[in-house]
Amino acid sequence: MKTIPSIISALIAFFAFMQPSFAQVTLDVLDTQNKNDSENITLVQFLEGLEQTHPLFEREEMNAQIEQERQKSLTGTENWIVSSGVNVSHMSYSPVTAGLENTKGVSLFTSVSRHFWSTGGNLSVGLTLGANALGYSSDTIYSSTPDADFDNKVTLFYTQPLLRNWKGVLSKLEYELKTIDIDFAAVQALENQEDFLASSAQSFLNWVFHTVEMQIVQERLQLSKKSFDETRQKRARNLVDEVDVIRAKNSISLSEQNRVTVESILLSLVKQLSILTQDVSLVDKTPQFDLYEIHEFPELKTVIDDFKKNSRILGQLKLNLRQLELVRKGNKEYTKPDLSLTAQVGTKKSNDNFSDALMIDQPEATLGLTYTFPLKNTQARANLLTTDLQITQLNKQMEELEIAQLSVLSNTYVQLKQLEEILKLNIQQIELARQKTKEETITYNRGRGDFTFVIQSQDEEKRAKLTYALNALIYQKLYIQYLAMTDQLLS
């Protein structure tokens, strides 16, 4: 017949080791969070909160806006430009006109000009109004000579390039280059935002893991206390030595140290995340995430093909290539001769009568060609050759980057697939540990075993669960890395 302490121990063991079935293994490990009044927060909610509150997202989006404003400033070269002024002149004598001792003049001028990107041409329209006071000698021979002269004219001047800058290739070049800068800034902003979210998501996963770990170490601490109580009872009956009691007590101390360590890590991490999200209530929330979820993946070949077509990081180099091709186009233009057609039409009127001079009814026109060509054009040709080398170098860089990225992506993909198998083995290990605990409990209740073996078996079960959680954490972090590499995390 069992003694009273043995019966009590058996009852304790019976209630302590009532375990769920194998089908509930994953659920049992997941259900490690405090179910009090604390609010749950999912990974999606956590990341959405970051997007709404963290200044990085607005700061990154401003880069494209800044480039857009810089591009707008370039359109100023097509603005109409108005200029005006006044000239005052004085000449004390005239070496040409006899008897003219001095001339005092004033002229007002105004013009409107514009450069046209579509043609590369320049248009200018001007109006000049001039008046001169003529001072002749007192000789009677000049008494009938007018003492004033009015000179007015209207001109229209246009220059059209025929070779270099034909159709405004050079005029529009900076604007087109800035368009690529805008696209590049937008892509870079997405990359930086996604990298930040990936890092933050992994911190969230650490929070989930340490929450699970905290529950497990607390359970292991309770097992150490049970083992200590059992050993102390055995010592009271002189069934074990005092050193066994000390060992059991040391086990409690180690378990308590583990609990405090995990608690410290958990509290500091939650504090860090609360500052990151600018949400002080985060310390009172519990992370809600299926740490043990297995994700579906397409075939590796499909992943690689999609990466080659849609990767943002490769797309950035493609934008750089487009930019260099535009620069080459501009350098190519500078190797051409500068042949320009110049046309000027206008009308003028000079008269000693002010009202008659305003008629401006004497038309004139000029048409000319200007040809300029440096004999060697060293700078333009060197720039063109440099750009060609840069394009070749960039193509090699794209190949290099593609190989490196696909290497990392393939490595991550294979690791994820292998971890899926490891996680399945972890579940089997937990189930085996649970079955062992069940059998040790049955053996103990029949009076044929030691309660210490039951506790050791249950501790092995907790260690198996912790290993499962740790491998699941590695799996989920790799999955976040996979999403970031394939540009799926931000969406």
Side-chain angles (χ1 to χ4, degrees), residues 68-113:
Q68 287 173 349
E69 294 303 319
R70 288 174 176 169
Q71 186 186 49
K72 287 180 182 178
S73 70
L74 297 174
T75 61
T77 58
E78 265 203 317
N79 291 345
W80 286 99
I81 299 175
V82 179
S83 59
S84 60
V86 58
N87 290 325
V88 178
S89 63
H90 172 76
M91 183 178 290
S92 59
Y93 71 95
S94 171
V96 178
T97 305
L100 183 62
E101 295 183 342
N102 61 77
T103 302
K104 298 177 181 177
V106 60
S107 63
L108 302 175
F109 66 89
T110 183
S111 66
V112 179
S113 61

mmCIF file of all heavy atoms in Angstrom, residues 68-113:
data_model
loop_
_atom_site.group_PDB
_atom_site.id
_atom_site.type_symbol
_atom_site.label_atom_id
_atom_site.label_comp_id
_atom_site.label_asym_id
_atom_site.label_seq_id
_atom_site.Cartn_x
_atom_site.Cartn_y
_atom_site.Cartn_z
ATOM 1 N N GLN A 68 11.454 66.139 -58.725
ATOM 2 C CA GLN A 68 10.404 66.689 -59.579
ATOM 3 C C GLN A 68 10.470 68.215 -59.622
ATOM 4 O O GLN A 68 10.313 68.834 -60.686
ATOM 5 C CB GLN A 68 9.032 66.231 -59.086
ATOM 6 C CG GLN A 68 8.734 64.764 -59.374
ATOM 7 C CD GLN A 68 7.449 64.301 -58.719
ATOM 8 O OE1 GLN A 68 6.864 65.000 -57.888
ATOM 9 N NE2 GLN A 68 6.995 63.112 -59.077
ATOM 10 N N GLU A 69 10.714 68.817 -58.460
ATOM 11 C CA GLU A 69 10.818 70.274 -58.423
ATOM 12 C C GLU A 69 12.057 70.748 -59.167
ATOM 13 O O GLU A 69 12.031 71.786 -59.837
ATOM 14 C CB GLU A 69 10.850 70.766 -56.970
ATOM 15 C CG GLU A 69 9.551 70.533 -56.200
ATOM 16 C CD GLU A 69 8.363 71.182 -56.885
ATOM 17 O OE1 GLU A 69 8.491 72.316 -57.380
ATOM 18 O OE2 GLU A 69 7.289 70.542 -56.947
ATOM 19 N N ARG A 70 13.138 69.993 -59.056
ATOM 20 C CA ARG A 70 14.344 70.341 -59.815
ATOM 21 C C ARG A 70 14.089 70.250 -61.313
ATOM 22 O O ARG A 70 14.599 71.056 -62.093
ATOM 23 C CB ARG A 70 15.495 69.415 -59.416
ATOM 24 C CG ARG A 70 16.058 69.703 -58.020
ATOM 25 C CD ARG A 70 17.094 68.675 -57.624
ATOM 26 N NE ARG A 70 17.690 69.001 -56.328
ATOM 27 C CZ ARG A 70 18.470 68.183 -55.632
ATOM 28 N NH1 ARG A 70 18.748 66.965 -56.130
ATOM 29 N NH2 ARG A 70 18.971 68.550 -54.473
ATOM 30 N N GLN A 71 13.299 69.258 -61.700
ATOM 31 C CA GLN A 71 12.974 69.140 -63.115
ATOM 32 C C GLN A 71 12.122 70.318 -63.581
ATOM 33 O O GLN A 71 12.316 70.837 -64.682
ATOM 34 C CB GLN A 71 12.252 67.821 -63.371
ATOM 35 C CG GLN A 71 12.002 67.547 -64.845
ATOM 36 C CD GLN A 71 11.158 66.319 -65.085
ATOM 37 O OE1 GLN A 71 10.109 66.146 -64.477
ATOM 38 N NE2 GLN A 71 11.617 65.439 -65.968
ATOM 39 N N LYS A 72 11.184 70.726 -62.731
ATOM 40 C CA LYS A 72 10.347 71.870 -63.095
ATOM 41 C C LYS A 72 11.192 73.114 -63.336
ATOM 42 O O LYS A 72 10.889 73.935 -64.206
ATOM 43 C CB LYS A 72 9.320 72.143 -62.002
ATOM 44 C CG LYS A 72 8.198 71.129 -61.926
ATOM 45 C CD LYS A 72 7.230 71.486 -60.809
ATOM 46 C CE LYS A 72 6.122 70.448 -60.675
ATOM 47 N NZ LYS A 72 5.198 70.771 -59.564
ATOM 48 N N SER A 73 12.258 73.255 -62.538
ATOM 49 C CA SER A 73 13.103 74.437 -62.698
ATOM 50 C C SER A 73 13.768 74.468 -64.074
ATOM 51 O O SER A 73 14.076 75.543 -64.598
ATOM 52 C CB SER A 73 14.169 74.463 -61.601
ATOM 53 O OG SER A 73 15.131 73.432 -61.786
ATOM 54 N N LEU A 74 13.976 73.291 -64.667
ATOM 55 C CA LEU A 74 14.615 73.246 -65.985
ATOM 56 C C LEU A 74 13.709 73.774 -67.081
ATOM 57 O O LEU A 74 14.187 74.208 -68.135
ATOM 58 C CB LEU A 74 15.032 71.806 -66.308
ATOM 59 C CG LEU A 74 16.089 71.187 -65.373
ATOM 60 C CD1 LEU A 74 16.300 69.725 -65.729
ATOM 61 C CD2 LEU A 74 17.402 71.950 -65.469
ATOM 62 N N THR A 75 12.398 73.725 -66.858
ATOM 63 C CA THR A 75 11.472 74.229 -67.877
ATOM 64 C C THR A 75 11.561 75.737 -68.000
ATOM 65 O O THR A 75 11.001 76.324 -68.934
ATOM 66 C CB THR A 75 10.027 73.826 -67.544
ATOM 67 O OG1 THR A 75 9.651 74.390 -66.275
ATOM 68 C CG2 THR A 75 9.894 72.315 -67.454
ATOM 69 N N GLY A 76 12.267 76.368 -67.063
ATOM 70 C CA GLY A 76 12.420 77.823 -67.129
ATOM 71 C C GLY A 76 13.159 78.286 -68.360
ATOM 72 O O GLY A 76 13.022 79.450 -68.780
ATOM 73 N N THR A 77 13.941 77.397 -68.970
ATOM 74 C CA THR A 77 14.658 77.791 -70.188
ATOM 75 C C THR A 77 13.719 78.008 -71.365
ATOM 76 O O THR A 77 14.126 78.572 -72.383
ATOM 77 C CB THR A 77 15.702 76.719 -70.560
ATOM 78 O OG1 THR A 77 15.048 75.458 -70.733
ATOM 79 C CG2 THR A 77 16.757 76.592 -69.480
ATOM 80 N N GLU A 78 12.471 77.552 -71.238
ATOM 81 C CA GLU A 78 11.482 77.787 -72.302
ATOM 82 C C GLU A 78 10.588 78.975 -71.999
ATOM 83 O O GLU A 78 9.708 79.307 -72.800
ATOM 84 C CB GLU A 78 10.606 76.538 -72.482
ATOM 85 C CG GLU A 78 11.080 75.612 -73.574
ATOM 86 C CD GLU A 78 9.949 74.740 -74.099
ATOM 87 O OE1 GLU A 78 9.158 74.228 -73.290
ATOM 88 O OE2 GLU A 78 9.851 74.571 -75.323
ATOM 89 N N ASN A 79 10.806 79.624 -70.870
ATOM 90 C CA ASN A 79 9.975 80.773 -70.518
ATOM 91 C C ASN A 79 10.250 81.962 -71.454
ATOM 92 O O ASN A 79 11.357 82.121 -71.969
ATOM 93 C CB ASN A 79 10.239 81.212 -69.074
ATOM 94 C CG ASN A 79 9.741 80.193 -68.063
ATOM 95 O OD1 ASN A 79 8.973 79.301 -68.403
ATOM 96 N ND2 ASN A 79 10.179 80.315 -66.837
ATOM 97 N N TRP A 80 9.221 82.773 -71.616
ATOM 98 C CA TRP A 80 9.409 84.044 -72.314
ATOM 99 C C TRP A 80 10.223 84.967 -71.417
ATOM 100 O O TRP A 80 9.952 85.087 -70.226
ATOM 101 C CB TRP A 80 8.072 84.691 -72.637
ATOM 102 C CG TRP A 80 7.326 84.025 -73.764
ATOM 103 C CD1 TRP A 80 6.321 83.141 -73.653
ATOM 104 C CD2 TRP A 80 7.564 84.217 -75.156
ATOM 105 N NE1 TRP A 80 5.886 82.737 -74.897
ATOM 106 C CE2 TRP A 80 6.639 83.402 -75.855
ATOM 107 C CE3 TRP A 80 8.449 85.003 -75.905
ATOM 108 C CZ2 TRP A 80 6.583 83.342 -77.238
ATOM 109 C CZ3 TRP A 80 8.386 84.950 -77.290
ATOM 110 C CH2 TRP A 80 7.461 84.118 -77.941
ATOM 111 N N ILE A 81 11.215 85.601 -72.011
ATOM 112 C CA ILE A 81 12.082 86.513 -71.251
ATOM 113 C C ILE A 81 11.880 87.929 -71.782
ATOM 114 O O ILE A 81 12.044 88.178 -72.987
ATOM 115 C CB ILE A 81 13.562 86.113 -71.375
ATOM 116 C CG1 ILE A 81 13.769 84.699 -70.812
ATOM 117 C CG2 ILE A 81 14.457 87.107 -70.638
ATOM 118 C CD1 ILE A 81 15.163 84.170 -71.010
ATOM 119 N N VAL A 82 11.525 88.817 -70.897
ATOM 120 C CA VAL A 82 11.294 90.224 -71.258
ATOM 121 C C VAL A 82 12.456 91.047 -70.728
ATOM 122 O O VAL A 82 12.820 90.927 -69.550
ATOM 123 C CB VAL A 82 9.960 90.742 -70.681
ATOM 124 C CG1 VAL A 82 9.757 92.208 -71.049
ATOM 125 C CG2 VAL A 82 8.801 89.889 -71.180
ATOM 126 N N SER A 83 13.014 91.844 -71.588
ATOM 127 C CA SER A 83 14.104 92.729 -71.158
ATOM 128 C C SER A 83 13.857 94.121 -71.725
ATOM 129 O O SER A 83 13.269 94.287 -72.802
ATOM 130 C CB SER A 83 15.459 92.194 -71.624
ATOM 131 O OG SER A 83 15.502 92.085 -73.027
ATOM 132 N N SER A 84 14.273 95.112 -71.009
ATOM 133 C CA SER A 84 14.111 96.497 -71.465
ATOM 134 C C SER A 84 15.206 97.351 -70.840
ATOM 135 O O SER A 84 15.839 96.960 -69.864
ATOM 136 C CB SER A 84 12.727 97.039 -71.084
ATOM 137 O OG SER A 84 12.566 97.004 -69.671
ATOM 138 N N GLY A 85 15.421 98.532 -71.434
ATOM 139 C CA GLY A 85 16.465 99.411 -70.909
ATOM 140 C C GLY A 85 16.455 100.752 -71.615
ATOM 141 O O GLY A 85 15.645 101.016 -72.514
ATOM 142 N N VAL A 86 17.353 101.598 -71.190
ATOM 143 C CA VAL A 86 17.480 102.934 -71.749
ATOM 144 C C VAL A 86 18.963 103.234 -71.941
ATOM 145 O O VAL A 86 19.796 102.874 -71.111
ATOM 146 C CB VAL A 86 16.803 103.986 -70.832
ATOM 147 C CG1 VAL A 86 17.410 103.964 -69.436
ATOM 148 C CG2 VAL A 86 16.911 105.382 -71.453
ATOM 149 N N ASN A 87 19.282 103.888 -73.038
ATOM 150 C CA ASN A 87 20.656 104.295 -73.331
ATOM 151 C C ASN A 87 20.692 105.815 -73.517
ATOM 152 O O ASN A 87 19.837 106.393 -74.226
ATOM 153 C CB ASN A 87 21.184 103.628 -74.599
ATOM 154 C CG ASN A 87 21.421 102.137 -74.408
ATOM 155 O OD1 ASN A 87 21.820 101.708 -73.339
ATOM 156 N ND2 ASN A 87 21.173 101.356 -75.467
ATOM 157 N N VAL A 88 21.646 106.447 -72.916
ATOM 158 C CA VAL A 88 21.866 107.893 -73.079
ATOM 159 C C VAL A 88 23.264 108.088 -73.651
ATOM 160 O O VAL A 88 24.233 107.478 -73.147
ATOM 161 C CB VAL A 88 21.730 108.635 -71.726
ATOM 162 C CG1 VAL A 88 22.009 110.121 -71.929
ATOM 163 C CG2 VAL A 88 20.347 108.424 -71.145
ATOM 164 N N SER A 89 23.369 108.897 -74.692
ATOM 165 C CA SER A 89 24.665 109.084 -75.339
ATOM 166 C C SER A 89 24.962 110.575 -75.544
ATOM 167 O O SER A 89 24.059 111.411 -75.583
ATOM 168 C CB SER A 89 24.691 108.355 -76.681
ATOM 169 O OG SER A 89 23.725 108.899 -77.562
ATOM 170 N N HIS A 90 26.243 110.847 -75.670
ATOM 171 C CA HIS A 90 26.680 112.228 -75.961
ATOM 172 C C HIS A 90 27.947 112.147 -76.796
ATOM 173 O O HIS A 90 28.872 111.393 -76.473
ATOM 174 C CB HIS A 90 26.957 113.009 -74.678
ATOM 175 C CG HIS A 90 27.591 114.344 -74.943
ATOM 176 N ND1 HIS A 90 26.861 115.417 -75.426
ATOM 177 C CD2 HIS A 90 28.887 114.771 -74.827
ATOM 178 C CE1 HIS A 90 27.684 116.457 -75.575
ATOM 179 N NE2 HIS A 90 28.928 116.082 -75.223
ATOM 180 N N MET A 91 27.961 112.904 -77.890
ATOM 181 C CA MET A 91 29.141 112.966 -78.757
ATOM 182 C C MET A 91 29.447 114.436 -78.989
ATOM 183 O O MET A 91 28.576 115.203 -79.403
ATOM 184 C CB MET A 91 28.868 112.238 -80.081
ATOM 185 C CG MET A 91 30.085 112.206 -81.012
ATOM 186 S SD MET A 91 29.730 111.282 -82.533
ATOM 187 C CE MET A 91 29.637 109.632 -81.894
ATOM 188 N N SER A 92 30.687 114.845 -78.709
ATOM 189 C CA SER A 92 31.042 116.270 -78.775
ATOM 190 C C SER A 92 31.299 116.746 -80.192
ATOM 191 O O SER A 92 31.269 117.933 -80.447
ATOM 192 C CB SER A 92 32.284 116.549 -77.909
ATOM 193 O OG SER A 92 33.379 115.749 -78.374
ATOM 194 N N TYR A 93 31.577 115.830 -81.112
ATOM 195 C CA TYR A 93 31.788 116.254 -82.494
ATOM 196 C C TYR A 93 31.481 115.079 -83.405
ATOM 197 O O TYR A 93 31.375 113.944 -82.956
ATOM 198 C CB TYR A 93 33.226 116.731 -82.701
ATOM 199 C CG TYR A 93 34.241 115.632 -82.679
ATOM 200 C CD1 TYR A 93 34.690 115.032 -83.857
ATOM 201 C CD2 TYR A 93 34.748 115.167 -81.460
ATOM 202 C CE1 TYR A 93 35.609 114.010 -83.832
ATOM 203 C CE2 TYR A 93 35.663 114.137 -81.424
ATOM 204 C CZ TYR A 93 36.106 113.566 -82.605
ATOM 205 O OH TYR A 93 37.017 112.541 -82.574
ATOM 206 N N SER A 94 31.394 115.369 -84.660
ATOM 207 C CA SER A 94 31.147 114.317 -85.633
ATOM 208 C C SER A 94 32.202 114.407 -86.716
ATOM 209 O O SER A 94 32.303 115.428 -87.406
ATOM 210 C CB SER A 94 29.756 114.463 -86.255
ATOM 211 O OG SER A 94 29.627 113.557 -87.333
ATOM 212 N N PRO A 95 32.993 113.355 -86.876
ATOM 213 C CA PRO A 95 34.014 113.390 -87.932
ATOM 214 C C PRO A 95 33.430 113.153 -89.318
ATOM 215 O O PRO A 95 34.141 113.289 -90.308
ATOM 216 C CB PRO A 95 34.931 112.237 -87.534
ATOM 217 C CG PRO A 95 34.027 111.274 -86.833
ATOM 218 C CD PRO A 95 33.025 112.113 -86.111
ATOM 219 N N VAL A 96 32.159 112.835 -89.394
ATOM 220 C CA VAL A 96 31.543 112.520 -90.689
ATOM 221 C C VAL A 96 30.692 113.668 -91.185
ATOM 222 O O VAL A 96 30.792 114.114 -92.338
ATOM 223 C CB VAL A 96 30.708 111.233 -90.574
ATOM 224 C CG1 VAL A 96 30.027 110.935 -91.906
ATOM 225 C CG2 VAL A 96 31.572 110.072 -90.133
ATOM 226 N N THR A 97 29.805 114.141 -90.337
ATOM 227 C CA THR A 97 28.851 115.179 -90.751
ATOM 228 C C THR A 97 29.454 116.555 -90.498
ATOM 229 O O THR A 97 29.790 116.903 -89.359
ATOM 230 C CB THR A 97 27.532 115.043 -89.969
ATOM 231 O OG1 THR A 97 27.032 113.720 -90.152
ATOM 232 C CG2 THR A 97 26.521 116.056 -90.454
ATOM 233 N N ALA A 98 29.565 117.325 -91.557
ATOM 234 C CA ALA A 98 30.160 118.663 -91.436
ATOM 235 C C ALA A 98 29.249 119.590 -90.648
ATOM 236 O O ALA A 98 28.027 119.561 -90.805
ATOM 237 C CB ALA A 98 30.422 119.237 -92.835
ATOM 238 N N GLY A 99 29.836 120.390 -89.810
ATOM 239 C CA GLY A 99 29.084 121.360 -89.023
ATOM 240 C C GLY A 99 28.440 120.799 -87.786
ATOM 241 O O GLY A 99 27.928 121.558 -86.959
ATOM 242 N N LEU A 100 28.410 119.509 -87.621
ATOM 243 C CA LEU A 100 27.783 118.900 -86.445
ATOM 244 C C LEU A 100 28.791 118.918 -85.296
ATOM 245 O O LEU A 100 29.826 118.249 -85.332
ATOM 246 C CB LEU A 100 27.348 117.471 -86.749
ATOM 247 C CG LEU A 100 26.612 116.748 -85.624
ATOM 248 C CD1 LEU A 100 25.304 117.468 -85.284
ATOM 249 C CD2 LEU A 100 26.321 115.299 -86.045
ATOM 250 N N GLU A 101 28.503 119.721 -84.315
ATOM 251 C CA GLU A 101 29.434 119.892 -83.213
ATOM 252 C C GLU A 101 29.197 118.909 -82.066
ATOM 253 O O GLU A 101 30.128 118.487 -81.393
ATOM 254 C CB GLU A 101 29.355 121.335 -82.680
ATOM 255 C CG GLU A 101 29.808 122.350 -83.720
ATOM 256 C CD GLU A 101 29.795 123.756 -83.155
ATOM 257 O OE1 GLU A 101 29.118 123.953 -82.105
ATOM 258 O OE2 GLU A 101 30.425 124.635 -83.746
ATOM 259 N N ASN A 102 27.968 118.545 -81.843
ATOM 260 C CA ASN A 102 27.678 117.587 -80.754
ATOM 261 C C ASN A 102 26.344 116.900 -81.005
ATOM 262 O O ASN A 102 25.504 117.422 -81.738
ATOM 263 C CB ASN A 102 27.679 118.270 -79.384
ATOM 264 C CG ASN A 102 26.618 119.354 -79.282
ATOM 265 O OD1 ASN A 102 25.431 119.064 -79.121
ATOM 266 N ND2 ASN A 102 27.030 120.632 -79.386
ATOM 267 N N THR A 103 26.249 115.736 -80.372
ATOM 268 C CA THR A 103 25.006 114.965 -80.480
ATOM 269 C C THR A 103 24.648 114.434 -79.092
ATOM 270 O O THR A 103 25.488 113.835 -78.402
ATOM 271 C CB THR A 103 25.157 113.773 -81.438
ATOM 272 O OG1 THR A 103 25.541 114.255 -82.720
ATOM 273 C CG2 THR A 103 23.845 113.010 -81.555
ATOM 274 N N LYS A 104 23.425 114.663 -78.712
ATOM 275 C CA LYS A 104 22.909 114.103 -77.464
ATOM 276 C C LYS A 104 21.728 113.211 -77.806
ATOM 277 O O LYS A 104 20.820 113.626 -78.516
ATOM 278 C CB LYS A 104 22.471 115.212 -76.510
ATOM 279 C CG LYS A 104 23.607 116.133 -76.077
ATOM 280 C CD LYS A 104 23.097 117.259 -75.190
ATOM 281 C CE LYS A 104 24.250 118.186 -74.790
ATOM 282 N NZ LYS A 104 23.770 119.336 -73.971
ATOM 283 N N GLY A 105 21.784 111.958 -77.308
ATOM 284 C CA GLY A 105 20.732 111.021 -77.684
ATOM 285 C C GLY A 105 20.231 110.181 -76.532
ATOM 286 O O GLY A 105 20.930 109.977 -75.529
ATOM 287 N N VAL A 106 19.036 109.688 -76.686
ATOM 288 C CA VAL A 106 18.447 108.761 -75.724
ATOM 289 C C VAL A 106 17.623 107.737 -76.507
ATOM 290 O O VAL A 106 16.978 108.091 -77.494
ATOM 291 C CB VAL A 106 17.572 109.501 -74.688
ATOM 292 C CG1 VAL A 106 16.423 110.247 -75.372
ATOM 293 C CG2 VAL A 106 17.033 108.528 -73.644
ATOM 294 N N SER A 107 17.710 106.492 -76.071
ATOM 295 C CA SER A 107 16.923 105.456 -76.750
ATOM 296 C C SER A 107 16.322 104.516 -75.704
ATOM 297 O O SER A 107 16.955 104.184 -74.693
ATOM 298 C CB SER A 107 17.790 104.664 -77.729
ATOM 299 O OG SER A 107 18.828 103.979 -77.040
ATOM 300 N N LEU A 108 15.101 104.085 -75.968
ATOM 301 C CA LEU A 108 14.403 103.116 -75.134
ATOM 302 C C LEU A 108 14.238 101.828 -75.936
ATOM 303 O O LEU A 108 13.861 101.872 -77.108
ATOM 304 C CB LEU A 108 13.031 103.648 -74.714
ATOM 305 C CG LEU A 108 13.016 104.977 -73.957
ATOM 306 C CD1 LEU A 108 11.573 105.428 -73.722
ATOM 307 C CD2 LEU A 108 13.734 104.845 -72.627
ATOM 308 N N PHE A 109 14.526 100.718 -75.299
ATOM 309 C CA PHE A 109 14.370 99.448 -76.033
ATOM 310 C C PHE A 109 13.721 98.406 -75.117
ATOM 311 O O PHE A 109 13.879 98.427 -73.890
ATOM 312 C CB PHE A 109 15.726 98.936 -76.526
ATOM 313 C CG PHE A 109 16.670 98.531 -75.438
ATOM 314 C CD1 PHE A 109 16.680 97.236 -74.935
ATOM 315 C CD2 PHE A 109 17.554 99.456 -74.890
ATOM 316 C CE1 PHE A 109 17.549 96.868 -73.932
ATOM 317 C CE2 PHE A 109 18.427 99.083 -73.876
ATOM 318 C CZ PHE A 109 18.426 97.789 -73.391
ATOM 319 N N THR A 110 13.008 97.526 -75.741
ATOM 320 C CA THR A 110 12.403 96.393 -75.024
ATOM 321 C C THR A 110 12.353 95.206 -75.987
ATOM 322 O O THR A 110 12.221 95.393 -77.205
ATOM 323 C CB THR A 110 10.987 96.735 -74.515
ATOM 324 O OG1 THR A 110 10.478 95.633 -73.760
ATOM 325 C CG2 THR A 110 10.034 97.000 -75.665
ATOM 326 N N SER A 111 12.493 94.005 -75.402
ATOM 327 C CA SER A 111 12.487 92.815 -76.249
ATOM 328 C C SER A 111 11.858 91.652 -75.492
ATOM 329 O O SER A 111 11.854 91.609 -74.249
ATOM 330 C CB SER A 111 13.904 92.444 -76.694
ATOM 331 O OG SER A 111 14.692 92.048 -75.582
ATOM 332 N N VAL A 112 11.349 90.695 -76.259
ATOM 333 C CA VAL A 112 10.785 89.457 -75.723
ATOM 334 C C VAL A 112 11.456 88.308 -76.475
ATOM 335 O O VAL A 112 11.462 88.300 -77.712
ATOM 336 C CB VAL A 112 9.257 89.396 -75.897
ATOM 337 C CG1 VAL A 112 8.720 88.080 -75.344
ATOM 338 C CG2 VAL A 112 8.597 90.573 -75.216
ATOM 339 N N SER A 113 12.004 87.344 -75.713
ATOM 340 C CA SER A 113 12.708 86.238 -76.357
ATOM 341 C C SER A 113 12.307 84.912 -75.721
ATOM 342 O O SER A 113 11.852 84.870 -74.571
ATOM 343 C CB SER A 113 14.227 86.430 -76.253
ATOM 344 O OG SER A 113 14.632 86.464 -74.891
#
